[in-house]
Amino acid sequence: MNKVKRIAVLTSGGDAPGMNAAIRAVVRYGIGMGLEVYGVERGFQGLLDNLFVPMNMRSVSDIIHRGGTILKTARCLEFKTEEGQQKAIKNLKANKIDGLIVIGGDGSFMGAKALTDHGFPSIGIPGTIDNDLAYTDYTLGFDTACNTILDAINKIRDTMSSHERVSIIEVMGRNCGDLALYTGICGGAEVIIVPEHKITIDEIVDILGGSRASDKTSGIIVLAEGAGRAPELKAELSERTALTVKSTVLGHIQRGGSPSCRDRYLGTCFGVHAVQLLQKGIGNRIVGIRQNEIYDMDIVEGCSMKKKFNLELYETAQIVSR
Ligand code: ADP
Ligand code: F6P
């Protein structure tokens, strides 16, 4: 095995708060360990377009508290093709890069795997607000997004309780209900709607009716985007009940913003761990956190794990919000 001298880092897929903390850790820890570190701009697209930027300690100054990613991110269809991957490897080799760190979600991890399959060591760091990766308890950005959503729920609750209304708040997460589940619990939502567990319109009407009967005069429904659309649910509930129902689609506000302490911490630990793997010439691994321990596992194994829905937590949430 040749000694690893130069590594690169890129961000891919949807940005997430904490990505900058991870980039900073990769750059500074890498340089601290005697490596040369390059940033690749615009995700896998940057590998094809040769967007390699040499990084130094000052390249990552003043970024740990910033949302988004200083390296920019992209979704790149060409990289999914054999020709695209060959072009990427050619550019990586031309820039004398010995190993790559990919910060992104499961799609980006498939990109990292493709590179390792072509003999180029790559490591994945989970960066997505969705928390939809089974092998890790938390992904970078999830905690910050939860806090942003909670802030919105708190504000919406103020006006809902003043006017005695019910509000549906639609949150992101693709096919994963974690953002809705955690913020629903912590925001005291009377109803939480997630893709992993079916709830009928009759059940929702019953919960809201019970809530009114027990002297609650307002209500919050948190709806995961993977389970339905807020304006449609609002129309249905307005037709089925006498309640005044409002709806808010939070949108991209929940993906931006200064990362929380937890996401800065995770970004730093993930970045350091990824560099340590590459230093040993190890590729094809994804870094994660399980029971509070930073660890790594095989990309294919990790990506094929199916996320288990926490039904007990979901049912508890319904009870404690009554
Ligand atoms: P995320 O990483 O957040 O899941 P995407 O699914 O959009 O986001 O994937 C990000 C990028 O990863 C894609 O635009 C593509 O460049 C790359 N990618 C996704 N799937 C594959 C694949 N099967 N093989 C190679 N590259 C992939
Ligand atoms: O994967 C992160 C995410 O924010 C999802 O929650 C959401 O469905 C999607 O990306 C939105 O993507 P875009 O910004 O491309 O509309």
Side-chain angles (χ1 to χ4, degrees), residues 6 13 24 31 46 52 61 109 116 133 153 174 205 251 276 322:
R6 187 180 285 181
R24 172 178 175 271
I31 294 172
F52 290 79
S61 289
F109 286 174
T116 313
L133 300 169
I153 293 177
R174 281 188 204 244
V205 169
Q276 288 171 342
R322 270 183 201 156

PDB file of all heavy atoms in Angstrom, residues 6 13 24 31 46 52 61 109 116 133 153 174 205 251 276 322:
ATOM      1  N   ARG A   6      -2.165  12.780   0.116  1.00  0.00           N
ATOM      2  CA  ARG A   6      -3.081  13.869  -0.234  1.00  0.00           C
ATOM      3  C   ARG A   6      -4.513  13.341  -0.274  1.00  0.00           C
ATOM      4  O   ARG A   6      -4.793  12.361  -0.968  1.00  0.00           O
ATOM      5  CB  ARG A   6      -2.686  14.432  -1.601  1.00  0.00           C
ATOM      6  CG  ARG A   6      -3.457  15.659  -1.973  1.00  0.00           C
ATOM      7  CD  ARG A   6      -3.027  16.174  -3.327  1.00  0.00           C
ATOM      8  NE  ARG A   6      -1.733  16.843  -3.315  1.00  0.00           N
ATOM      9  CZ  ARG A   6      -1.172  17.378  -4.389  1.00  0.00           C
ATOM     10  NH1 ARG A   6      -1.791  17.317  -5.565  1.00  0.00           N
ATOM     11  NH2 ARG A   6      -0.003  17.969  -4.305  1.00  0.00           N
ATOM     12  N   GLY A  13     -25.487  16.060  -2.534  1.00  0.00           N
ATOM     13  CA  GLY A  13     -26.908  15.929  -2.173  1.00  0.00           C
ATOM     14  C   GLY A  13     -27.372  17.196  -1.457  1.00  0.00           C
ATOM     15  O   GLY A  13     -26.762  18.258  -1.586  1.00  0.00           O
ATOM     16  N   ARG A  24     -14.233  21.463   8.121  1.00  0.00           N
ATOM     17  CA  ARG A  24     -13.179  22.106   8.936  1.00  0.00           C
ATOM     18  C   ARG A  24     -12.320  21.047   9.635  1.00  0.00           C
ATOM     19  O   ARG A  24     -11.086  21.128   9.658  1.00  0.00           O
ATOM     20  CB  ARG A  24     -13.858  23.017   9.961  1.00  0.00           C
ATOM     21  CG  ARG A  24     -12.956  23.633  11.016  1.00  0.00           C
ATOM     22  CD  ARG A  24     -13.828  24.525  11.888  1.00  0.00           C
ATOM     23  NE  ARG A  24     -13.146  25.110  13.011  1.00  0.00           N
ATOM     24  CZ  ARG A  24     -13.041  24.534  14.209  1.00  0.00           C
ATOM     25  NH1 ARG A  24     -13.549  23.329  14.406  1.00  0.00           N
ATOM     26  NH2 ARG A  24     -12.430  25.163  15.191  1.00  0.00           N
ATOM     27  N   ILE A  31      -4.363  18.176   7.884  1.00  0.00           N
ATOM     28  CA  ILE A  31      -3.106  18.942   7.818  1.00  0.00           C
ATOM     29  C   ILE A  31      -2.279  18.687   9.090  1.00  0.00           C
ATOM     30  O   ILE A  31      -1.067  18.482   9.042  1.00  0.00           O
ATOM     31  CB  ILE A  31      -3.384  20.451   7.614  1.00  0.00           C
ATOM     32  CG1 ILE A  31      -4.015  20.684   6.234  1.00  0.00           C
ATOM     33  CG2 ILE A  31      -2.094  21.272   7.749  1.00  0.00           C
ATOM     34  CD1 ILE A  31      -4.508  22.100   5.978  1.00  0.00           C
ATOM     35  N   GLY A  46     -18.055  18.408  -9.329  1.00  0.00           N
ATOM     36  CA  GLY A  46     -16.722  19.022  -9.238  1.00  0.00           C
ATOM     37  C   GLY A  46     -15.609  18.043  -9.582  1.00  0.00           C
ATOM     38  O   GLY A  46     -14.547  18.449 -10.069  1.00  0.00           O
ATOM     39  N   PHE A  52     -10.889  21.229  -8.048  1.00  0.00           N
ATOM     40  CA  PHE A  52     -10.086  20.897  -6.858  1.00  0.00           C
ATOM     41  C   PHE A  52      -9.437  22.166  -6.308  1.00  0.00           C
ATOM     42  O   PHE A  52      -8.808  22.909  -7.058  1.00  0.00           O
ATOM     43  CB  PHE A  52      -8.996  19.883  -7.211  1.00  0.00           C
ATOM     44  CG  PHE A  52      -9.523  18.512  -7.529  1.00  0.00           C
ATOM     45  CD1 PHE A  52     -10.066  18.238  -8.770  1.00  0.00           C
ATOM     46  CD2 PHE A  52      -9.484  17.497  -6.586  1.00  0.00           C
ATOM     47  CE1 PHE A  52     -10.557  16.980  -9.089  1.00  0.00           C
ATOM     48  CE2 PHE A  52      -9.976  16.230  -6.881  1.00  0.00           C
ATOM     49  CZ  PHE A  52     -10.517  15.967  -8.134  1.00  0.00           C
ATOM     50  N   SER A  61     -11.446  28.896   8.282  1.00  0.00           N
ATOM     51  CA  SER A  61     -11.685  29.814   9.399  1.00  0.00           C
ATOM     52  C   SER A  61     -13.108  30.334   9.345  1.00  0.00           C
ATOM     53  O   SER A  61     -13.640  30.542   8.243  1.00  0.00           O
ATOM     54  CB  SER A  61     -10.741  31.013   9.305  1.00  0.00           C
ATOM     55  OG  SER A  61      -9.432  30.615   9.591  1.00  0.00           O
ATOM     56  N   PHE A 109     -23.425   8.184  -0.793  1.00  0.00           N
ATOM     57  CA  PHE A 109     -22.634   7.020  -0.353  1.00  0.00           C
ATOM     58  C   PHE A 109     -22.479   6.012  -1.503  1.00  0.00           C
ATOM     59  O   PHE A 109     -21.462   5.334  -1.620  1.00  0.00           O
ATOM     60  CB  PHE A 109     -23.304   6.335   0.840  1.00  0.00           C
ATOM     61  CG  PHE A 109     -23.173   7.108   2.134  1.00  0.00           C
ATOM     62  CD1 PHE A 109     -23.835   6.688   3.277  1.00  0.00           C
ATOM     63  CD2 PHE A 109     -22.381   8.246   2.222  1.00  0.00           C
ATOM     64  CE1 PHE A 109     -23.727   7.381   4.468  1.00  0.00           C
ATOM     65  CE2 PHE A 109     -22.257   8.954   3.412  1.00  0.00           C
ATOM     66  CZ  PHE A 109     -22.934   8.512   4.538  1.00  0.00           C
ATOM     67  N   THR A 116     -14.750   3.520  -4.768  1.00  0.00           N
ATOM     68  CA  THR A 116     -13.940   2.471  -4.132  1.00  0.00           C
ATOM     69  C   THR A 116     -13.927   1.220  -5.003  1.00  0.00           C
ATOM     70  O   THR A 116     -12.900   0.553  -5.127  1.00  0.00           O
ATOM     71  CB  THR A 116     -14.465   2.142  -2.715  1.00  0.00           C
ATOM     72  OG1 THR A 116     -14.693   3.364  -2.023  1.00  0.00           O
ATOM     73  CG2 THR A 116     -13.458   1.325  -1.920  1.00  0.00           C
ATOM     74  N   LEU A 133     -30.812   7.314   7.692  1.00  0.00           N
ATOM     75  CA  LEU A 133     -29.831   6.248   7.515  1.00  0.00           C
ATOM     76  C   LEU A 133     -29.850   5.335   8.737  1.00  0.00           C
ATOM     77  O   LEU A 133     -29.623   5.783   9.866  1.00  0.00           O
ATOM     78  CB  LEU A 133     -28.437   6.855   7.317  1.00  0.00           C
ATOM     79  CG  LEU A 133     -28.329   7.778   6.090  1.00  0.00           C
ATOM     80  CD1 LEU A 133     -27.025   8.547   6.090  1.00  0.00           C
ATOM     81  CD2 LEU A 133     -28.454   6.950   4.814  1.00  0.00           C
ATOM     82  N   ILE A 153     -42.740  25.814  15.406  1.00  0.00           N
ATOM     83  CA  ILE A 153     -43.933  25.273  16.094  1.00  0.00           C
ATOM     84  C   ILE A 153     -44.313  26.185  17.272  1.00  0.00           C
ATOM     85  O   ILE A 153     -45.479  26.523  17.472  1.00  0.00           O
ATOM     86  CB  ILE A 153     -43.689  23.822  16.599  1.00  0.00           C
ATOM     87  CG1 ILE A 153     -43.541  22.864  15.411  1.00  0.00           C
ATOM     88  CG2 ILE A 153     -44.827  23.357  17.518  1.00  0.00           C
ATOM     89  CD1 ILE A 153     -43.234  21.418  15.801  1.00  0.00           C
ATOM     90  N   ARG A 174     -38.176  13.582   3.387  1.00  0.00           N
ATOM     91  CA  ARG A 174     -38.407  12.583   2.316  1.00  0.00           C
ATOM     92  C   ARG A 174     -39.283  11.449   2.833  1.00  0.00           C
ATOM     93  O   ARG A 174     -40.345  11.708   3.331  1.00  0.00           O
ATOM     94  CB  ARG A 174     -37.075  12.016   1.811  1.00  0.00           C
ATOM     95  CG  ARG A 174     -36.393  12.946   0.855  1.00  0.00           C
ATOM     96  CD  ARG A 174     -35.196  12.253   0.260  1.00  0.00           C
ATOM     97  NE  ARG A 174     -34.244  13.240  -0.184  1.00  0.00           N
ATOM     98  CZ  ARG A 174     -33.881  13.415  -1.435  1.00  0.00           C
ATOM     99  NH1 ARG A 174     -34.366  12.634  -2.371  1.00  0.00           N
ATOM    100  NH2 ARG A 174     -33.034  14.349  -1.759  1.00  0.00           N
ATOM    101  N   VAL A 205     -59.587  13.070  13.128  1.00  0.00           N
ATOM    102  CA  VAL A 205     -60.786  13.815  13.552  1.00  0.00           C
ATOM    103  C   VAL A 205     -61.138  13.435  14.999  1.00  0.00           C
ATOM    104  O   VAL A 205     -61.459  14.308  15.825  1.00  0.00           O
ATOM    105  CB  VAL A 205     -61.967  13.516  12.587  1.00  0.00           C
ATOM    106  CG1 VAL A 205     -63.276  14.037  13.145  1.00  0.00           C
ATOM    107  CG2 VAL A 205     -61.689  14.115  11.212  1.00  0.00           C
ATOM    108  N   GLY A 251     -40.748  24.245   4.478  1.00  0.00           N
ATOM    109  CA  GLY A 251     -39.815  24.386   3.351  1.00  0.00           C
ATOM    110  C   GLY A 251     -38.355  24.515   3.754  1.00  0.00           C
ATOM    111  O   GLY A 251     -37.939  24.012   4.808  1.00  0.00           O
ATOM    112  N   GLN A 276      -8.810   9.531   9.819  1.00  0.00           N
ATOM    113  CA  GLN A 276      -8.042   8.429  10.423  1.00  0.00           C
ATOM    114  C   GLN A 276      -8.144   7.153   9.578  1.00  0.00           C
ATOM    115  O   GLN A 276      -7.176   6.421   9.415  1.00  0.00           O
ATOM    116  CB  GLN A 276      -8.516   8.170  11.857  1.00  0.00           C
ATOM    117  CG  GLN A 276      -8.074   9.281  12.810  1.00  0.00           C
ATOM    118  CD  GLN A 276      -8.715   9.182  14.191  1.00  0.00           C
ATOM    119  OE1 GLN A 276      -9.724   8.496  14.367  1.00  0.00           O
ATOM    120  NE2 GLN A 276      -8.146   9.887  15.151  1.00  0.00           N
ATOM    121  N   ARG A 322     -52.018  14.560  25.048  1.00  0.00           N
ATOM    122  CA  ARG A 322     -53.481  14.696  25.189  1.00  0.00           C
ATOM    123  C   ARG A 322     -53.871  15.873  26.066  1.00  0.00           C
ATOM    124  O   ARG A 322     -53.155  16.234  26.978  1.00  0.00           O
ATOM    125  CB  ARG A 322     -54.052  13.401  25.826  1.00  0.00           C
ATOM    126  CG  ARG A 322     -54.417  12.407  24.739  1.00  0.00           C
ATOM    127  CD  ARG A 322     -55.054  11.167  25.324  1.00  0.00           C
ATOM    128  NE  ARG A 322     -54.925  10.073  24.373  1.00  0.00           N
ATOM    129  CZ  ARG A 322     -54.952   8.796  24.701  1.00  0.00           C
ATOM    130  NH1 ARG A 322     -55.059   8.425  25.946  1.00  0.00           N
ATOM    131  NH2 ARG A 322     -54.857   7.866  23.787  1.00  0.00           N
TER     132      ARG A 322
END
